[in-house]
Amino acid sequence: MPERPVIDLHLIGIGTGNPDHLTRAAEAAMNAADVILLPRKREAAADLIVLRREICARVLTGATRVVEFDLPERDGAGPYFAAVDDWHDAIAACWAMQIAAQLPDGGRLALLVWGDPSLYDSSLRIAERLRAEGIALRVKVIPGITSLQALTAAHAIPLNRLGAPVLITTGRRLRAEGWPDGVDTLAVMLDGECTFTTLDPGGITIWWGAYLGMPHETLIAGPLAEVASTIVARRAMLRADHGWIMDTYLLRRGVAA
């Protein structure tokens, strides 16, 4: 039986879309790739692929091919985890189709991952699906700047209090379970519902940021009781203006902004 062609898959963290956030390792991996796959999302989120195209145009100096493909959309109607699982299956099928078409004899494939592949991104899980389907993969992660790094840098604050822990969670978990015991600082991601409005705001400070590192970066910080409604209104306006939004925030008890 002939050996299966090997795909060297590089998952490259590209920060928040600012080309200046790329590491030298990321630039080297992009230029070493035979093919870079760029996902196209719905028309309302066209800015996302435009940013990836701009990064490629700025960084690539050799013969790396850039191939775009249509990214399946997640079904928002059904149970969340089942819908995400089906969505990941569909994305894996798209990757497999592109591998067969672009690198039938093996080679080096790169994907540009928003933020970092290690933090609230499923690229590594999708890659495991390809392995399960019999594709020979060697996976390497090139880390990037995470949204939390960009958020704390933009606000010029430390992520944690002195000697204290931080919990990274999602808006969904915070809504369902409330503020967890034993921690004063929460980093909240993937929150499309402004879950901070469901909390008792007493003694809580929020540092919120949208489009971090981009030209239209927007930051709001202050006591939650004073700025929550401002964030909700600004977020809705920004989403309407751009057709999409990426935002995250830090909550801390007992510290003034």
Side-chain angles (χ1 to χ4, degrees), residues 9 162 253:
L9 175 61
L162 186 62
R253 281 176 163 167

Side-chain angles (χ1 to χ4, degrees), residues 76-203:
Y80 175 74
F81 288 107
V84 169
D85 194 53
D86 291 342
W87 183 42
H88 288 173
D89 281 342
I91 295 173
C94 286
W95 288 13
M97 186 181 303
Q98 292 299 326
I99 288 171
Q102 306 298 334
L103 296 170
D105 300 319
R108 293 164 295 188
L109 177 68
L111 286 155
L112 307 184
V113 178
W114 223 242
D116 184 274
S118 68
L119 183 62
Y120 282 101
D121 179 82
S122 291
S123 298
L124 286 164
R125 298 181 185 93
I126 294 167
E128 284 304 313
R129 282 168 158 78
L130 297 185
R131 282 202 180 106
E133 292 299 318
I135 296 176
L137 283 185
R138 291 192 294 239
V139 178
K140 183 174 182 180
V141 172
I142 293 83
I145 292 175
T146 67
S147 57
L148 292 183
Q149 290 171 298
L151 178 72
T152 54
H155 283 287
I157 58 170
L159 178 61
N160 65 306
R161 300 175 73 178
L162 186 62
V166 174
L167 179 68
I168 302 173
T169 189
T170 64
R172 182 179 297 274
R173 293 291 297 269
L174 185 59
R175 277 196 309 279
E177 302 169 9
W179 193 292
D181 293 332
V183 63
D184 290 330
T185 300
L186 303 179
V188 184
M189 307 182 73
L190 305 178
D191 183 12
E193 305 297 330
C194 295
T195 301
F196 52 81
T197 61
T198 68
L199 302 172
D200 178 354

